[in-house]
Amino acid sequence: MLEIGMNLAYLAAAILFILGIKGLTRPKTAVRGNMLSATGMFVAVAVTLLDNSIVSFELIIAGALLGGAIGAVLAKKVQMTAMPQLVAVLNGFGGGASLGLAAASYLQTLGGAGFAEGALGTITLITIALTVIIGSLTVTGSLIAFAKLQEIMPGQPIGFPGMTGFNALLLIGALASSVMLAIDPTNTLYFWLAIGLAAVLGLTLVLPIGGADMPVVIALLNSYSGIAAAFAGFVMGNTVLIVSGSLVGASGLILTNIMCVAMNRSLPNVLFGRMGADTGGEGAGDEIYEGKITSASPDEVGMLLETAQKVIIVPGFGMALSQAQHAVRELADAIERNGGEVLYAIHPVAGRMPGHMNVLLAEAEVPYEKLVEMERINPQFDDCDVAIVLGANDVTNPMAREDKGSPIYGMPILNVDKARTVVVIKRSLSAGFAGLPNPLFALDNTLMVFGDGKKAVVDITTALENG
Amino acid sequence: MEILIMQVSLFVLALMLGVELITKVPPTLHTPLMSGTNAISGIALVGAILAAGNADGGEVARWLGFVAVVLASINVVGGYMVTNRMLAMFKRKD
């Protein structure tokens, strides 16, 4: 009877998760959706505590208090610019939790009733092995992603020739260990070997991926953490784990796909292609830029904005780096007070994770209606007086549209060059992640404002208000 | 075996439902979606609680369960709180 009640409660929890995600389809219903999802979690955890198999609560309570406190501090303290890092570590923790529970479940079955003979036992063991493999590589992969985003490690791709082959060997080794474990369940060596090989695989999969490809990696690891939880659900015979793990897995996969489409690259190309790691270089830029760069002072840009009717701001990772989102909002306010209209053009891969720019601008209280997606904003550059590019580079490079020989040819870009005047705020003429010069900077209608993003924006605002 | 088939069916159907739902989430909410799904993947807490409370596998297994409880709790509490914090920013302009 208790078991039936628990399963019904798990069903209720799964329904609440689904309604919660449904709430996220609109900004207005999103807060309520998150609450519904949290309620589902509460229900699932509460009924689990009634399970007869629990003999002691000390470790459960201690663990929940410790984890809850750490989670609360992280959630309160994290800066919005650091959200990619937080999501990266949470992906890792999610994978780690599934790894831990699957490992504990393996040892408990071994120490308790033992594994069933025949096909059923084999399937259980293979499922446990797959859970720990995905969990383990999610942990180490996420730690590398975190270290790269936090700039503890350099953002450049790190690797050696033949790395893809090495990774394939690691994967084959981990899978072979799983098969050996299924044949000989009591040999724990195979179990730990599968975990260890997967842990190394997580490192070597993410190390060769550069900083600007992190949106794809984070989305993919997000998906892995969900799939690990779903597989852990198979191990524990728990339906709510299976359902919610699959939802998370699907979410990560869709985001991964959106990011890849936005870069016009396939997932294997992002993971193994190492595009732009050593192409182009500074030398190639000199020819394009020679004598064609017009630089402008913040005062000149302020004067230009006085008469502008329509301004489109194009934020990129540089806005996050210089924490310029509040300054940008103040500039937009000043332009609006002057009678101009301001919109924001958001490229899907701007920033270091999906939706990164939207969150930063929401933090600065920019209404979300003003954040316009690429497909809808591109036609609007034609009647735009001034486009302000702040810390974005490759996503505005016209070569992606025009130069068939360019490595980024075919990547969808923001057509900022169609604006009457383009203002690019940038530290220097250095190349973006793709390592390519950007002919946008050399156009006749482009003005370069060199300097720190935040300071430049503040100076332009001051100039506009005093002008 | 029947149970396994049912579980696989559940897995596949939930994946398909997830795809249908999540394609409707607007790009503006993609970051809260990711932190929100981080919180949901903390559902591993359910399994972790059972692992940490079970004495069959000896001390190592219980401590592995404990680690799983800690990690999953971080995801649950941290994930929901930070998602709520972000969504509140989107909401206040209504």
Side-chain angles (χ1 to χ4, degrees):
Chain A
M1 201 52 210
L2 178 66
E3 199 177 332
I4 294 173
M6 282 179 71
N7 279 317
L8 287 176
Y10 284 151
L11 176 64
I15 292 171
L16 286 167
F17 290 146
I18 291 166
L19 293 176
I21 294 180
K22 191 158 181 285
L24 276 178
T25 52
R26 282 189 306 159
K28 277 185 205 299
T29 54
V31 173
R32 200 184 57 200
N34 191 48
M35 292 296 178
L36 286 175
S37 176
T39 310
M41 185 64 70
F42 179 78
V43 170
V45 170
V47 298
T48 305
L49 292 172
L50 301 175
D51 195 292
N52 302 330
S53 73
I54 300 175
V55 291
S56 74
F57 284 90
E58 301 100 346
L59 288 183
I60 297 172
I61 293 167
L65 287 177
L66 178 61
I70 297 172
V73 170
L74 284 177
K76 285 268 179 220
K77 296 270 171 180
V78 67
Q79 286 199 313
M80 285 300 132
T81 46
M83 275 311 296
Q85 289 92 307
L86 180 66
V87 169
V89 286
L90 291 183
N91 286 339
F93 292 162
S98 298
L99 166 65
L101 83 88
S105 170
Y106 165 73
L107 295 175
Q108 278 157 3
T109 310
L110 214 56
F115 287 95
E117 289 292 319
L120 202 60
T122 306
I123 291 169
T124 311
L125 283 158
I126 292 287
T127 317
I128 288 180
L130 288 177
T131 310
V132 296
I133 287 172
I134 300 174
S136 180
L137 77 87
T138 306
V139 172
T140 53
S142 299
L143 287 179
I144 297 296
F146 169 77
K148 287 198 175 209
L149 289 163
Q150 188 68 33
E151 295 178 340
I152 299 169
M153 274 175 65
Q156 292 89 8
I158 300 170
F160 50 85
M163 200 153 180
T164 308
F166 180 72
N167 288 345
L169 283 180
L170 285 172
L171 182 63
I172 291 167
L175 293 176
S177 307
S178 313
V179 174
M180 295 306 291
L181 183 71
I183 294 169
D184 182 6
T186 54
N187 194 334
T188 53
L189 176 71
Y190 294 126
F191 182 70
W192 301 117
L193 191 61
I195 295 178
L197 290 173
V200 180
L201 182 60
L203 299 177
T204 53
L205 277 175
V206 181
L207 278 171
I209 300 173
D213 284 343
M214 279 300 139
V216 180
V217 176
I218 299 183
L220 193 62
L221 289 169
N222 191 234
S223 170
Y224 287 172
S225 75
I227 290 171
F231 278 27
F234 285 113
V235 174
M236 311 283 289
N238 188 311
T239 51
V240 72
L241 267 168
I242 297 175
V243 173
S244 22
S246 327
L247 291 173
V248 177
S251 168
L253 283 178
I254 288 173
L255 292 175
T256 307
N257 185 44
I258 292 173
M259 296 296 109
C260 286
V261 169
M263 297 197 294
N264 190 36
R265 292 166 67 191
S266 67
L267 184 58
N269 181 276
V270 174
L271 295 182
F272 309 116
R274 297 224 272 141
M275 182 198 91
D278 27 48
T279 54
E282 303 295 312
D286 293 344
E287 259 169 62
I288 290 179
Y289 298 146
E290 186 91 68
K292 293 180 189 154
I293 297 294
T294 321
S295 85
S297 69
D299 287 347
E300 289 168 272
V301 177
M303 279 164 60
L304 182 70
L305 289 173
E306 268 173 44
T307 53
Q309 290 298 308
K310 182 168 184 175
V311 177
I312 299 179
I313 298 176
V314 183
F317 181 57
M319 181 181 81
L321 260 185
S322 68
Q323 298 267 4
Q325 64 270 30
H326 296 278
V328 166
R329 151 93 205 225
E330 277 156 30
L331 173 61
D333 286 349
I335 296 168
E336 281 168 352
R337 275 196 297 275
N338 239 329
E341 181 197 4
V342 181
L343 290 172
Y344 298 79
I346 311 292
H347 193 280
V349 293
R352 285 293 185 265
M353 75 180 294
H356 193 189
M357 293 298 118
N358 305 71
V359 167
L360 289 183
L361 291 167
E363 185 194 14
E365 301 189 42
V366 174
Y368 57 77
E369 297 86 4
K370 296 197 172 185
L371 312 182
V372 190
E373 294 149 40
M374 182 164 59
E375 295 77 25
R376 287 196 297 130
I377 196 81
N378 265 344
Q380 303 198 45
F381 280 109
D382 293 323
D383 63 344
C384 162
D385 296 306
V386 182
I388 302 175
V389 180
L390 175 62
N393 190 349
D394 294 332
V395 297
T396 64
N397 193 331
M399 278 162 88
R401 210 176 48 218
E402 285 148 14
D403 181 358
K404 286 207 166 107
S406 168
I408 58 168
Y409 179 73
M411 175 172 132
I413 58 157
L414 293 163
N415 297 329
V416 289
D417 53 320
K418 308 273 189 206
R420 237 153 264 142
T421 308
V422 186
V423 174
V424 179
I425 301 171
K426 212 172 169 308
R427 281 178 188 280
S428 69
L429 284 174
S430 63
F433 172 73
L436 301 166
N438 190 344
L440 174 75
F441 303 159
L443 292 177
D444 292 338
N445 59 337
T446 300
L447 299 173
M448 299 294 298
V449 178
F450 293 107
D452 172 69
K454 186 175 175 183
K455 186 170 181 304
V457 172
V458 170
D459 290 347
I460 292 170
T461 312
T462 317
L464 176 60
E465 285 183 325
N466 297 340
Chain B
M1 255 339 209
E2 292 85 35
I3 292 179
L4 182 76
I5 298 296
M6 272 180 57
Q7 287 177 340
V8 172
S9 313
L10 199 59
F11 177 67
V12 174
L13 290 174
L15 268 179
M16 293 184 68
L17 174 65
V19 170
E20 285 302 310
L21 270 178
I22 282 140
T23 40
K24 295 196 177 69
V25 176
T28 273
L29 293 178
H30 278 168
T31 296
L33 171 67
M34 291 190 86
S35 60
T37 52
N38 276 149
I40 295 178
S41 73
I43 190 67
L45 182 56
V46 165
I49 286 174
L50 297 176
N54 187 312
D56 284 345
E59 283 303 295
V60 177
R62 283 189 67 208
W63 283 102
L64 281 170
F66 170 76
V67 172
V69 170
V70 174
L71 294 177
S73 303
I74 296 176
N75 267 33
V76 169
V77 175
Y80 282 121
M81 279 179 64
V82 85
T83 307
N84 195 54
R85 199 179 132 198
M86 272 189 275
L87 292 175
M89 293 173 185
F90 283 96
K91 206 188 180 193
R92 68 181 167 219
K93 271 87 57 189
D94 287 353

